[in-house]
């Protein structure tokens, strides 16, 4: 008996759920743990009517327009159906009722309770009650004899009892079940069922089998079993004709037996393996509705069982086959539940052409033209080969005698046993939908809700119209359109409204565009799609419109109606959205299995150069979920939401991968609540959605309110301080990737927002660095420092040195030096590229080439940085980190860039000695920096000091007689000679060998800012030269001649190598010559000072004294550590 298993849908919150049909089969009625009774017009009904009966609803029964429910307030209530008006309380118990049922006529209701009692109540007069006492544990289920003489009940005491209703006595009791103390602990609900019409058998589920007891004799006459059943049977239900018995088990198995032949004619499996706790046959016998313990509702369709009169002619109903060929047949899911009222829902078999002479029924195929059965796989005592089960016209004879129905050879064969397949089952493909719309079968629905406006559709008895409303009425006024063509799809943008309808027998599928932003008088155009081609999805971009059709074709139009592009899609479209120049398409790339959807995604950009950014990559979804919303953030980043409520965002910086950024179900108070997403923003980080209480979709009236949900990345251990900061940092990096994309696409960007994001990221990195230091995770600290910009690395070195973490500070200084050298090498290339790249670069700390921040900053930004530096010099130690990060967040001048007209290489400037020195301040003429008397370039730590001792302006803070003392996070005296990173003469030579009294780089800055009367050529003579420098000046031409392509730094390295290979006597000769020139230069400097040509002469003499004093101090490795910063050029 081949049947179609419909996809499960959400019905109630998690817990026990029951189901039944109304008398005519028009409605499916369910109750659940949320206390609601829901009335579904069909399985696809997304807006069912509901009746709240209590905190929990345990059971329900429906007959003759009366709805009876057992709720958690210990009562059995009655409501009118389908109006849902309360009609009183039938009876009460001392605890909650567990099961209720009607008799065949609907005049009586039986209810079992956890207080061990069973009551039989007259519906017309609730005072007429009969109480059946005798069970010794809570009652599991009750069922009426169709002739209204007996009542059967099962209980947690392990017994199944048959009662005489009028005498209120036990007729017989069978100890069949395992004893438990409560319904919640029972292995099975043991829902009994009496055969309708003939009333011959009582079906009792016992473990994995069903026992049939004969009415009257109460003998155990037969057992229905199936070798594939391994879990206890929970509930059984008879078909309306009384010939078939359906059973649902704890493991999710659904089994159907022919009672006369005792053969299993159908097997199905719950798609998720949950316990089946509710089972109901459609009055026509063609469908079975079932519910599980997770609150979900399912349907088996096309069972081919009839309740019609046997003499009536059989009217075949054509139904699409459920096989792999029909997975993409869109007509499969459009059938409503009450189409099964005819005699049968099973396809009538027809013979294959040319097989008239064949008598084997194996060659019969359904009227759909597809071979239904290709041979039975399982061969056991309870299964037959295809075509061997033949039921005749007398099968459904309504006999009142005890002979039952007989199996006779038929003239028209019934569909035989379906082949058993235990592998993964194909998932019905998700139907195409418009993102931001509610289902099309609703009479009042949202056709589109996006960031521009709302399109509502009304299709009822009074009106068939479309209302268009704009969030900003400055874009356009609201519009009311008559929907004469029956449009079902819509999109809205700042330029137009796009509508589309499906084709009919007479009319083709049409695409209609209301171009309200057009400057001419014709503001509307319409296009007919080719015959046999229906619009499935549409969207509006900036200056263009796109429509995806049923022929796997995408058609691109200009906003004025010109056909621009056409191309084929890899699979049936599911959804399509646009933003600016971007087009995002999601389609079925393959058939999914076990509840999964196999979706693919394409992202195209229609700019000046059309290109495909994402090419058919699989779209990640949560397990057994489907796509519910697709769109772009307001900044243009693709994102989507699945049915589990997980929001994912495209991470362009990680190879166009998808990152989960929010889980909407975590904020829902109930399992039946949902959030309907309408938009997303990256700055500020907001998810805009509409809360839906007990539903997936909002009502159109009154207008629902939009709520704001925050984003949160699902990182590990977000309850800890470390996890929180990591989540904030990664989220900040991810949500500010759009600056780079917008800049590369030629859009203007918010430079203030970008600088704020950079500041936020560097602050978080510094906090994580400090936390790692406290936890003694020095390796992790270095990993964090690699993500920092250069100026924040200086803060990290400062923090590490004051925390007595010398090894960490040494590693950070090595890293900073390596980074400085790398940037120096890259600098000439970047200066060449600078005029071509005017946009601000994204700086999240990931790219080594971007560590210095904004290299294209202008003079205004330099002034801002200088102001920040002056503020930093006036603050206390406790505020050092915050001020540094504030400075970092602004656009920074490249500290390694060569200043025009200055031949000096960048060098490190030590912190000054007056109070707290400003590491970024440009020194004026009155405040020269400390001089360095030693030119050893061992590491950056040699160029630092953290002296905080007060001294007169321009004076020295170093005291020769005091030894070095290291106190973390506290001022300490100067303890060593300062040196610079690279000291080079005007001819770009390096001094790495001979120590001598040299002027610091800050003096040259001072002289550049306050130029003396001497010519610029004299500046190069003020710095004493070493023997190597003299040798290099004379041999430079030969080195350059030998290596014409060598850069300046490589020339210096080559020269140093050659200088080292010279004999000691030769090197000594050059050194002596340098000393002679040094003495001449020193005399010249003294003469200039005596002449008053240097404004800071007094400071210069103090520096010379200081250098002499420092030479006498021993060099302590610990005393090398101090704070430093690079000079700004």
């Amino acid at each position: 008996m081949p049947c179609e298993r419909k996809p499960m849908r959400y019905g109630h919150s998690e817990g026990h759920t029951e189901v039944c049909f109304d008398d005519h089969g028009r409605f499916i009625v369910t109750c659940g743990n949320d206390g609601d009774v829901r009335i579904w017009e069909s399985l696809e009904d997304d807006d069912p009517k509901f009746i709240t009966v209590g905190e929990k609803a345990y059971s329900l029964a429906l007959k003759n327009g009366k709805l009876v429910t057992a709720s958690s307030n210990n009562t059995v209530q009655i409501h009118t159906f389908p109006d849902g008006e309360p009609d009183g309380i039938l009876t009460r118990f001392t605890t909650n009722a567990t099961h209720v049922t009607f008799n065949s006529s609907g005049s009586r209701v039986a209810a079992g309770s956890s207080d061990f009692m069973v009551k039989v109540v007259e519906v017309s007069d609730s005072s007429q009650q009969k109480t059946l006492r005798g069970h010794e544990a809570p009652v599991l289920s009750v069922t009426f004899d169709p002739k209204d003489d007996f009542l059967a009940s099962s209980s947690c005491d392990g017994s199944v009892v048959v009662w005489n209703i009028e005498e209120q006595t036990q007729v017989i009791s069978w100890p069949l079940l395992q004893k438990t103390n409560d319904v919640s602990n029972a292995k099975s609900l043991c829902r009994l069922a009496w055969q309708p019409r003939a009333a011959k058998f009582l079906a009792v589920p016992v473990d994995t089998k069903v026992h049939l007891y004969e009415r009257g004799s109460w003998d155990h006459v037969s057992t229905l079993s199936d070798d594939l059943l391994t879990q206890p049977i929970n509930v059984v239900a008879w078909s309306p004709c009384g010939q078939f018995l359906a059973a649902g088990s704890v493991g999710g198995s659904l089994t159907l037996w022919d009672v006369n032949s005792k053969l299993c004619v159908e097997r199905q499996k719950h798609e998720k393996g949950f316990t089946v706790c509710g089972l109901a046959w459609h009055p026509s016998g063609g469908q079975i509705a079932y519910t599980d313990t997770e609150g979900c509702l399912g349907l088996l369709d096309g069972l081919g069982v009839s309740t019609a009169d046997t003499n009536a002619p059989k009217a075949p109903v054509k139904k699409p086959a459920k096989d792999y060929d029909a997975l993409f047949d869109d007509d499969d899911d459009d059938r409503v539940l009450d189409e099964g009222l005819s005699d049968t829902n099973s396809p009538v078999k027809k013979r294959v052409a040319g097989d008239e002479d064949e008598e084997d029924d194996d060659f019969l195929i359904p009227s759909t033209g597809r071979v239904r059965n290709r041979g039975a796989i399982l061969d056991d005592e309870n299964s037959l080969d295809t075509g061997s089960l033949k039921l005749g016209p007398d099968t459904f004879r309504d006999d009142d005698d005890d002979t039952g129905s007989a199996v006779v050879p038929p003239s028209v064969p019934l569909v035989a046993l379906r082949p058993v397949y235990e592998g993964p089952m194909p998932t019905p493909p998700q139907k195409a939908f418009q993102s931001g719309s509610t289902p099309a079968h609703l009479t009042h629905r949202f056709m589109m809700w996006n960031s521009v406006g709302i399109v509502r559709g009304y299709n009822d008895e009074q009106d068939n119209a479309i209302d268009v409303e704009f969030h900003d009425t400055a874009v356009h006024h609201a519009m009311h359109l008559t929907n004469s063509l029956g449009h079902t799809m819509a999109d809205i943008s700042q330029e137009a409204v796009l509508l589309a309808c499906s084709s009919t027998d007479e009319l083709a599928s049409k695409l209609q565009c209301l171009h309200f932003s057009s400057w001419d008088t014709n503001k509307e155009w319409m296009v007919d799609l080719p015959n046999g081609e229906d619009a499935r999805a549409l969207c509006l971009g900036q200056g263009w419109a796109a429509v995806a059709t049923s022929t796997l074709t995408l058609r691109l139009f200009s906003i004025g109606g010109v056909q621009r592009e056409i191309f084929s899609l890899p699979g049936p479209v599911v959804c399509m959205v646009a933003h600016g120049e971007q087009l995002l398409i999601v389609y079925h790339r393959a058939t999914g299995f076990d509840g999964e959807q196999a979706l693919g995604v394409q992202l195209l950009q229609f700019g000046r150069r059309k290109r495909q950014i994402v090419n058919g990559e699989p779209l990640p979804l949560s397990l057994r979920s489907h796509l519910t919303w697709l769109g772009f953030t307001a900044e243009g980043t693709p994102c989507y939401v699945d049915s589990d409520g997980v929001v994912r965002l495209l991470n362009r910086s990680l190879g166009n991968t998808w990152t989960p950024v929010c889980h909407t179900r975590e904020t829902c108070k109930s399992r039946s609540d949902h959030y309907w997403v309408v938009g997303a923003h990256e700055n500020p980080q907001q998810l805009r959605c509409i809360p839906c209480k007990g539903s997936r979709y909002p009502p159109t009236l009154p207008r629902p309110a939009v709520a704001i949900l925050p984003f949160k990345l699902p990182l590990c251990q977000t309850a800890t301080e470390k996890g929180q900061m990591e989540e904030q940092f990664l989220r900040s990096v991810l949500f500010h990737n759009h600056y780079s994309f917008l800049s590369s696409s030629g859009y203007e960007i918010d430079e203030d927002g970008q600088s704020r994001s950079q500041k936020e990221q560097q602050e978080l990195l510094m906090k994580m660095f400090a936390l790692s230091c406290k936890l003694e995770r020095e390796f992790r600290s270095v990993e964090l420092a690699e993500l920092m910009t250069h100026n924040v690395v200086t803060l990290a070195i400062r923090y590490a040195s004051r925390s007595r973490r010398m090894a960490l500070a040494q590693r950070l200084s090595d890293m900073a030096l390596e980074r400085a050298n790398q940037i120096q090498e890259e600098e000439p290339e970047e200066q060449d590229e600078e005029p071509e790249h005017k946009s601000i670069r994204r700086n999240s700390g990931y790219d080594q080439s971007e560590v210095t921040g904004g290299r294209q900053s202008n003079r205004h930004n330099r002034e801002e940085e200088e102001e920040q530096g002056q503020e930093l010099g006036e603050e206390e130690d406790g505020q050092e980190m915050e001020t540094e990060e504030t400075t970092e967040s602004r656009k920074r001048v490249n500290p390694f860039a060569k200043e025009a007209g200055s031949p000096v290489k960048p060098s490190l400037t030590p912190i000054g000695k007056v109070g707290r020195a400003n590491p970024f301040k440009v020194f004026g003429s009155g405040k020269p920096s400390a001089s360095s008397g030693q030119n050893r370039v061992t590491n950056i730590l040699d160029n630092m000091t953290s002296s905080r001792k007060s001294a007169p302006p321009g004076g020295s803070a170093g005291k020769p007689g005091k030894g070095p003392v290291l106190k973390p996070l506290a001022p300490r005296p100067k303890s060593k000679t300062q040196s610079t990173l690279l000291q080079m003469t005007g001819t770009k030579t390096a001094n790495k060998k001979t120590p001598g009294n040299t002027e610091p780089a800050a003096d040259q800055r001072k002289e550049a800012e306050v130029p003396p009367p001497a010519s610029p050529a004299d500046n190069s003579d003020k710095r004493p030269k070493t023997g190597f420098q003299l040798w290099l000046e004379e041999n430079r031409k030969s080195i350059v001649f030998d290596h014409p392509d060598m850069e300046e730094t490589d020339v210096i390295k080559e020269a140093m190598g050659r200088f080292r290979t010279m004999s000691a006597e030769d090197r000594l000769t050059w050194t002596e010559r340098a000393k002679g020139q040094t003495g001449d230069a020193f005399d010249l400097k003294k003469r200039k000072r005596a002449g008053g040509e240097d404004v800071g002469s007094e400071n210069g003499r103090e520096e010379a004294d200081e250098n002499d004093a420092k030479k006498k101090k021993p060099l302590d490795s610990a005393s090398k550590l101090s704070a430093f910063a690079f000079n700004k050029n």
Side-chain angles (χ1 to χ4, degrees):
M1 185 179 292
C3 68
E4 179 182 8
R5 188 190 72 191
K6 299 282 188 179
M8 298 292 289
R9 68 154 301 140
Y10 182 85
H12 295 272
S13 60
E14 181 180 357
H16 178 77
T17 313
E18 286 204 5
V19 62
C20 69
F21 283 93
D22 71 322
D23 296 338
H24 304 289
R26 288 196 293 267
F27 300 100
I28 305 174
V29 186
T30 60
C31 72
N33 226 23
D34 49 15
D36 288 345
V37 173
R38 296 202 167 132
I39 304 169
W40 313 79
E41 293 183 0
S42 69
L43 192 66
E44 291 79 23
D45 184 5
D46 286 310
D47 193 16
K49 182 179 179 181
F50 67 94
I51 307 166
T52 302
V53 297
E55 288 185 7
K56 292 184 179 180
Y58 295 107
S59 182
L60 85 166
L62 180 60
K63 202 86 170 180
N64 300 338
K66 299 290 186 181
L67 175 66
V68 174
T69 56
S71 61
S72 55
N73 55 6
N74 306 343
T75 62
V76 176
Q77 306 173 54
I78 188 166
H79 291 77
T80 61
F81 184 87
D83 298 328
E85 297 295 329
D87 200 13
I89 295 176
L90 278 180
T91 186
R92 297 179 186 271
F93 293 92
T94 56
T95 62
N96 57 284
T98 57
H99 192 214
V100 293
T101 186
F102 273 100
N103 63 355
S104 56
S105 63
S107 61
R108 286 177 170 178
V109 170
S113 168
S114 291
D115 61 4
F116 311 169
M117 288 194 294
V118 177
K119 290 186 180 182
V120 180
V121 188
E122 297 289 335
V123 174
S124 58
D125 182 6
S126 60
S127 62
Q128 301 294 320
Q129 296 188 8
K130 290 181 170 57
T131 303
L132 308 177
R133 294 181 172 88
H135 281 302
E136 299 174 352
V139 178
L140 289 170
S141 73
V142 291
T143 181
F144 274 104
D145 165 29
K147 298 182 180 180
D148 224 13
D149 294 332
F150 303 104
L151 182 140
S153 64
S154 60
S155 169
C156 290
D157 60 12
S159 66
V160 175
V161 178
V162 178
W163 308 81
N164 186 307
I165 299 174
E166 295 302 323
E167 297 175 2
Q168 301 180 36
T169 58
Q170 290 188 10
V171 177
I172 192 168
S173 176
W174 298 292
L176 301 174
L177 311 177
Q178 182 176 339
K179 294 183 180 182
T180 56
N181 60 356
D182 189 53
V183 176
S184 61
N185 299 326
K187 287 180 61 178
S188 165
L189 293 176
C190 193
R191 290 291 157 89
L192 312 174
W194 222 299
Q195 184 183 29
R197 297 193 179 186
K200 183 178 180 181
F201 299 118
L202 171 67
V204 182
V206 180
D207 203 13
T208 60
K209 301 177 181 179
V210 179
H211 292 185
L212 297 182
Y213 292 87
E214 189 177 35
R215 183 183 186 274
S217 67
W218 311 115
D219 293 331
H220 178 203
V221 292
S222 63
T223 300
L224 303 177
S225 63
D226 184 10
D227 291 343
L228 297 181
L229 280 176
T230 58
Q231 303 261 24
I233 295 175
N234 220 22
V235 56
V236 295
W238 289 88
S239 65
C241 65
Q243 182 184 349
F244 298 94
L245 184 70
S249 74
V250 172
S253 297
L254 293 163
T255 311
L256 190 64
W257 287 280
D258 182 345
V259 177
N260 294 323
S261 62
K262 301 182 181 61
L263 297 175
C264 175
V265 294
E266 180 62 45
R267 298 183 185 91
Q268 288 287 349
K269 183 80 174 174
H270 188 291
E271 64 185 32
K272 296 186 178 180
F274 294 151
T275 296
V276 176
C277 57
L279 210 59
W281 282 80
H282 192 278
S284 70
Q287 296 176 332
I288 294 178
Y290 60 98
T291 53
D292 61 26
T293 53
E294 296 296 312
C296 293
L297 171 65
L299 194 70
L300 299 181
D301 197 4
L303 292 168
V305 180
S306 173
T307 61
D309 187 9
T310 57
N311 296 324
K314 301 273 192 288
V317 177
K318 182 177 179 181
K319 185 184 77 67
K322 185 195 177 189
D323 61 11
Y324 299 101
D325 301 330
L327 278 177
F328 296 106
D329 191 348
D330 290 322
D331 297 329
D332 286 13
D333 298 329
D334 294 336
R335 189 178 61 253
V336 295
L337 291 179
D338 55 356
E339 285 182 2
L341 296 177
S342 61
D343 180 59
T344 177
N345 244 359
S346 179
V348 175
K349 290 186 175 183
K350 64 182 181 181
R351 295 194 179 274
V352 180
D355 288 342
E356 289 84 355
D357 296 334
E358 291 287 343
E359 296 299 329
D360 191 351
D361 287 337
D362 284 347
F363 292 92
L364 294 177
I365 65 172
S367 58
T368 56
R370 301 184 181 120
V371 178
R372 170 79 70 181
N373 203 324
R374 293 174 177 85
I377 298 174
L378 186 69
D379 188 12
D380 59 39
E381 59 180 1
N382 293 319
S383 64
L384 291 178
D385 289 339
T386 307
S388 62
L389 182 62
K390 302 174 181 177
L391 304 178
D394 296 334
T395 297
F396 308 121
R397 185 173 67 244
D398 190 359
D399 293 337
D400 288 334
D401 58 3
D402 290 341
T403 59
S405 302
V407 177
V408 296
S411 58
V412 179
L414 194 67
V415 180
L417 175 65
R418 187 183 184 186
V420 176
Y421 170 64
E422 291 296 328
M425 297 301 295
T427 305
Q430 179 179 356
K431 297 173 69 174
F433 71 99
Q434 281 292 105
S435 182
S437 68
T438 51
H441 69 265
L442 301 177
T443 55
H444 292 192
R445 59 182 288 250
F446 291 111
M447 299 178 70
M448 177 56 61
W449 185 321
N450 60 17
S451 60
V452 178
I454 304 171
V455 182
R456 292 185 180 89
Y458 303 95
N459 185 12
D460 50 25
E461 298 174 356
Q462 290 81 19
D463 198 7
N464 187 0
I466 295 174
D467 284 344
V468 182
E469 174 188 344
F470 294 86
H471 298 313
D472 183 3
T473 53
V475 175
H476 198 269
H477 59 78
M479 294 184 286
H480 180 79
L481 311 172
T482 302
N483 191 10
S484 57
L485 293 174
H487 292 303
T488 57
M489 288 170 278
D491 197 10
I492 182 173
S493 72
Q494 302 275 359
E495 301 172 308
V497 176
L498 190 64
L499 304 168
C501 62
S502 300
S503 61
T504 62
D505 294 337
E506 298 84 12
L507 299 175
S509 180
K510 296 180 183 295
L511 186 70
Q512 183 179 5
C513 181
L514 306 177
H515 185 201
F516 55 78
S517 66
S518 173
W519 48 265
D520 65 1
T521 56
N522 296 318
K523 298 184 180 297
E524 180 179 340
W525 56 269
M526 188 179 299
V527 169
D528 287 358
L529 296 179
N531 290 333
E533 189 171 337
D534 276 353
R536 289 283 183 257
L538 52 83
C539 62
L540 281 167
Q542 186 175 352
W544 52 270
V547 57
T549 67
S550 57
T551 59
L552 310 188
T553 303
L554 189 137
R555 300 178 180 272
L556 198 68
F557 300 83
S558 71
I559 198 68
V562 180
Q563 300 185 57
R564 298 289 298 275
E565 302 283 351
I566 180 172
F567 60 91
S568 294
L569 296 173
V573 69
V574 176
C575 191
M576 185 170 67
V577 292
H579 181 278
E581 298 174 346
Q582 300 179 86
L583 174 64
L584 186 65
I585 310 165
V586 172
Y587 58 89
H588 289 286
R589 59 182 175 86
T591 300
F593 287 87
D594 282 345
E596 304 287 348
Q597 296 286 337
L599 304 181
V601 59
Q602 280 187 333
L603 178 60
L604 299 98
Q605 189 167 356
F606 301 118
R608 292 182 299 273
R609 183 172 64 89
K610 299 180 178 65
R611 59 196 182 105
Q612 187 162 296
I613 301 173
V614 178
N615 180 17
E617 300 294 333
L619 188 73
L621 293 172
S622 302
L623 288 175
R624 293 181 174 86
S625 68
H626 57 273
L627 185 67
T628 57
W629 183 83
L630 182 73
F632 288 86
T633 65
E635 292 76 13
T637 304
C639 58
Y640 65 94
V641 186
D642 61 29
S643 56
D644 276 4
V646 178
V647 185
R648 292 177 176 86
L649 189 75
L650 185 70
N651 189 349
R652 299 182 191 270
S653 65
L654 197 61
N656 289 329
T657 53
W658 298 93
T659 301
V661 294
C662 183
H663 198 329
T664 60
R665 297 307 304 274
E666 290 180 351
T667 57
C668 294
K669 296 181 180 179
S670 169
R671 289 177 61 91
S672 58
D673 296 345
H674 295 84
Y675 282 101
W676 193 64
V677 177
V678 297
H681 294 262
E682 293 179 81
N683 190 18
Q685 297 175 16
Q686 293 178 348
L687 183 69
R688 301 173 60 82
C689 47
I690 297 172
C692 302
K693 181 72 173 176
S695 174
R696 286 189 178 271
Y697 305 103
T700 54
L701 292 174
R703 177 171 175 169
V706 178
I708 304 297
L709 290 183
F711 290 107
K712 182 180 180 182
L713 271 61
L715 297 189
C716 303
Q717 296 179 328
T718 51
T720 64
E721 185 181 6
K722 170 180 174 289
Q724 290 174 359
M725 288 191 291
E726 288 172 342
E727 189 273 335
Q728 293 173 18
F729 175 73
L730 283 180
R731 179 156 43 87
S732 177
V733 172
L734 176 64
F735 278 82
H736 292 98
N737 282 341
H738 65 272
Y739 285 121
S740 174
F741 169 74
L742 293 176
S743 176
S744 63
S745 300
Y747 292 100
E748 293 183 0
I749 61 174
D750 180 11
E751 297 181 2
D752 292 338
Q754 186 184 26
S755 63
R756 283 195 299 270
S757 70
Q758 293 171 1
K759 172 188 174 183
E760 175 189 5
Q761 293 162 18
Q762 297 303 315
E763 284 178 350
L764 289 167
L765 284 173
M766 195 62 210
K767 290 177 182 177
M768 288 190 283
F769 178 86
L771 180 63
S772 299
C773 288
K774 290 179 182 177
L775 298 176
E776 297 184 355
R777 297 282 186 178
E778 296 191 1
F779 189 90
R780 184 186 297 165
S781 301
V782 175
E783 290 179 326
L784 291 169
E786 290 175 353
L787 306 179
M788 297 177 182
T789 58
H790 188 77
N791 288 339
V792 181
V793 172
T794 65
L795 270 183
I797 297 174
R798 193 177 300 173
Y799 185 91
S801 63
R802 293 177 186 169
S803 302
R804 297 180 184 271
R805 305 194 181 278
M806 305 310 168
L808 175 60
Q810 177 68 42
R811 285 189 178 275
L812 294 180
S813 68
D814 293 342
M815 183 186 72
L817 180 60
E818 180 182 352
R819 186 179 292 183
N821 292 335
Q822 181 180 357
I823 294 175
Q824 274 189 324
E825 295 172 1
E826 294 175 356
E827 190 62 32
E829 300 175 5
E830 294 186 1
Q831 286 180 344
D832 294 340
E833 296 172 0
E834 199 168 289
E836 301 174 7
H837 302 281
K838 296 296 183 184
S839 57
I840 303 301
R841 297 191 184 178
R842 176 172 50 84
N843 180 14
S844 62
Y846 281 107
D847 292 328
Q848 292 289 343
S849 60
E850 297 175 356
V851 294
T852 57
R855 292 190 172 124
Q856 295 82 15
S857 57
N858 53 28
R859 182 171 301 175
H860 172 71
N861 293 321
R862 298 189 186 197
E863 293 171 359
E864 283 185 353
E865 189 173 11
E866 290 173 9
E867 292 172 5
Q868 289 291 324
Q870 291 169 1
E871 293 173 6
L872 183 65
E874 297 169 1
E875 289 182 358
E876 297 298 326
D877 287 350
Q879 298 170 334
E880 177 179 327
M881 183 187 304
E882 180 181 350
T883 310
E884 177 70 16
E885 290 161 355
T886 304
T887 307
E888 171 61 29
S889 70
R890 309 205 174 226
K891 295 183 207 173
R892 293 167 296 278
V893 184
N894 181 2
F896 302 100
K898 300 178 206 173
E899 194 171 303
S902 174
V904 184
K905 287 280 184 176
S907 61
L908 288 172
T909 306
I911 300 300
K913 311 177 188 71
V914 184
R916 278 199 68 241
N918 177 4
F920 301 97
K921 185 175 178 182
V922 179
F923 287 96
S925 60
K927 294 182 179 180
S929 60
S931 174
S932 173
Q934 192 170 359
N935 293 325
R936 292 170 52 247
V937 189
T938 55
N939 60 59
I940 290 187
L941 291 177
D942 293 343
N943 309 305
M944 287 188 256
T945 178
S946 59
S947 174
R948 296 289 180 269
K949 206 162 189 178
S950 298
S956 171
K959 292 188 178 180
K962 189 169 182 179
V965 179
L966 182 63
K967 293 183 180 180
L969 302 178
R972 64 182 180 87
K974 188 163 179 85
S975 60
K976 64 173 284 295
T977 305
Q978 298 296 313
S979 66
T980 56
L981 175 64
L982 289 173
Q983 289 181 339
M984 298 184 185
T985 62
T987 55
K988 301 183 179 180
T989 59
N991 175 11
K992 293 196 179 258
K993 303 300 284 184
T994 308
N997 293 331
T998 60
E999 293 282 333
D1003 279 348
Q1004 294 193 4
R1005 289 191 60 86
K1006 173 191 68 179
E1007 291 164 8
E1009 292 171 6
V1010 186
S1015 63
D1018 296 335
N1019 292 339
S1020 61
D1021 296 331
K1022 292 182 180 181
R1023 185 180 299 276
K1025 295 180 180 178
T1026 64
F1028 168 75
Q1029 289 174 323
L1030 288 177
W1031 180 88
L1032 177 61
E1033 286 180 358
E1034 296 188 11
N1035 294 275
R1036 173 186 295 276
K1037 291 183 180 181
S1038 63
I1039 296 175
V1040 173
F1041 181 80
D1042 294 339
H1043 306 280
D1045 298 330
M1046 191 175 287
E1047 295 184 359
E1048 180 62 31
T1049 54
D1050 296 327
V1051 170
I1052 296 172
K1053 292 178 182 177
E1054 177 68 20
M1056 291 175 64
R1058 294 189 184 185
F1059 191 74
R1060 289 194 187 101
T1061 59
M1062 296 170 57
S1063 63
E1065 293 80 6
D1066 294 341
R1067 289 202 300 269
L1068 184 59
T1069 304
W1070 285 102
T1071 303
E1072 293 298 332
R1073 288 177 56 184
K1075 285 183 178 181
Q1077 291 193 13
T1078 302
D1080 298 339
F1082 186 74
D1083 293 340
L1084 179 60
K1085 181 187 286 190
K1086 287 177 66 177
R1087 287 196 297 273
K1088 285 184 179 180
R1089 286 177 178 171
E1093 293 176 4
D1094 195 329
V1095 182
S1097 58
E1098 184 179 0
N1099 294 335
R1101 287 193 294 274
E1102 289 178 356
E1103 285 179 358
D1105 296 339
E1106 180 192 38
N1107 290 333
D1108 294 336
K1110 288 175 185 174
K1111 288 181 182 178
K1112 301 175 184 178
K1113 291 185 181 180
L1115 289 177
D1116 184 6
S1117 61
S1119 67
K1120 297 178 182 180
L1121 300 172
S1122 61
F1124 77 100
F1126 287 102
N1127 260 337
K1128 295 188 305 178
N1129 289 328

